Amino acid sequence: MPEPSADGLLVLAVDTATTVAVGLARGGTVLQVATLADRMAHAEQLTPMVHRCLDAAGVVPADLDLVVAGLGPGPFTGLRVGIATALMLASALHLPWRGVCTLDVLAAQLVAEHTEPPADFVVATDARRREVYWARYDRRGVRVDGPHVSPAAEVPPLPTIGPGADLYPDHLQAVLGPRTLDPGVMAVRGPELLDAGRTPLYLRRPDATEPTRRKSVLLPASAAARRPADRGRS
């Protein structure tokens, strides 16, 4: 059976960096999309969302040609669920998969929506802790710097889009443009966006870390010296 052409690939896109998002496209045509704003429900809802998109498009998992996974940047738990789901599908179906930067998808949305996008612009998403994930792009939507995580005050003073654009008006120059990721665009553009590799873009160390110093189980000398006397008084 001949391989499908690049224009005819049936692509499933999954991203959980900002919302729970699933997109299905064949070539340049979006077949189905599903989104869920509640990231706390990603573990329970993501796989059913994938199957609903496939069913609604009249295809089965075996029809897929490629899985595109959003690698973030984003929080550890959210990214882990989305990437693990994409990898599980690709492995079970013996499909190729590629990772893309979530911010790149939002940049592609801006370029697709505007005939004259800014010469340079920033895509920002919420990193919490009064910080944002961000990257800088040229007018073609090509990433030229980042991704980074930093306080909003350290983001370049450029037109800014994305879910984080409106969070810190004193520091970010929010302009009209996408505020949520479009999984349909991700499915269409995913095969040609810059390959982000296979490593999730956490950008932060996990909050839970292994202790670097062993705890002693021995009593301090002063405490050990008092023990016999204590036993004598009991």
Side-chain angles (χ1 to χ4, degrees), residues 72-73 101-108 123-125 133-135 137 143 147-148:
C101 175
T102 301
L103 304 179
D104 291 358
V105 180
L106 287 153
V123 178
T125 61
Y133 300 114
W134 63 273
Y137 296 83
R143 180 159 31 101
H148 305 286

Side-chain angles (χ1 to χ4, degrees), residues 123-159:
V123 178
T125 61
D126 186 10
R128 303 179 184 177
R129 306 182 191 177
R130 301 191 64 78
E131 293 182 327
V132 291
Y133 300 114
W134 63 273
R136 180 174 178 172
Y137 296 83
D138 65 18
R139 68 169 63 253
R140 299 167 298 166
V142 175
R143 180 159 31 101
V144 296
D145 187 23
H148 305 286
V149 59
S150 72
E154 297 179 10
V155 176
L158 294 168

Side-chain angles (χ1 to χ4, degrees), residues 70-85:
L71 299 185
F76 179 80
T77 302
L79 284 186
R80 182 175 57 182
V81 171
I83 296 170
T85 299

Side-chain angles (χ1 to χ4, degrees), residues 169-195:
D170 292 342
H171 300 296
L172 300 180
Q173 298 182 9
V175 297
L176 291 177
R179 293 297 190 269
T180 58
L181 182 136
D182 184 338
V185 172
M186 184 176 176
V188 169
R189 295 292 309 279
E192 62 190 55
L193 287 175
L194 180 67
D195 191 333

